[in-house]
Amino acid sequence: MLGNFQQSQIRIEVDASATAIHDSLLRPTELEKWLPTGRFASGMPQELHPGFEFTTRIGPVSIHHQVDVARPNCLRLLLSQGIDGFHEWYWGEGWVQSRLEGVTILPLSLGQTLNLLSLRQFLTTKKR
């Protein structure tokens, strides 16, 4: 894999319940509403589950995701192709945390920050 090893961990406060955060991360119909990379291919399940695989794109770069763990307060995705590594999400009442590690040419910390800000904005707007 071409690129550098990068790691980033960010935790933010959000004005949302743990259930709302769960639904926004584990339900593809909700996930695609706030994820800056856009739409998913058809055939996505109602809720992400271990073993499910899908691919997203950031411009010309494809990122393959395999759901490793999907629990009421945790999601772990194994990443390959454009990023070789993993992305973990943890959440509770009023907070969400993202941990991302991998080898890539993409700026992981910047992308992670944008994703978290987009999620927070989505949850805030959804609550109104």
Side-chain angles (χ1 to χ4, degrees), residues 33-102:
K33 290 177 184 176
W34 65 265
L35 196 63
T37 55
R39 299 260 177 239
F40 294 117
S42 61
M44 294 290 284
Q46 184 175 351
E47 189 165 300
L48 297 179
H49 55 81
F52 184 75
E53 298 182 28
F54 61 98
T55 301
T56 59
R57 297 187 66 77
I58 299 175
V61 179
S62 293
I63 302 170
H64 184 78
H65 304 71
Q66 179 182 347
V67 180
D68 184 40
V69 175
R71 296 190 183 133
N73 66 340
C74 173
L75 174 64
R76 179 182 168 98
L77 304 167
L78 303 179
L79 309 174
S80 58
Q81 294 179 0
I83 303 171
D84 284 335
F86 67 88
H87 193 173
E88 291 178 331
W89 295 87
Y90 297 94
W91 60 89
E93 292 294 318
W95 63 273
V96 63
Q97 180 173 305
S98 170
R99 179 176 169 212
L100 186 56
E101 290 188 11

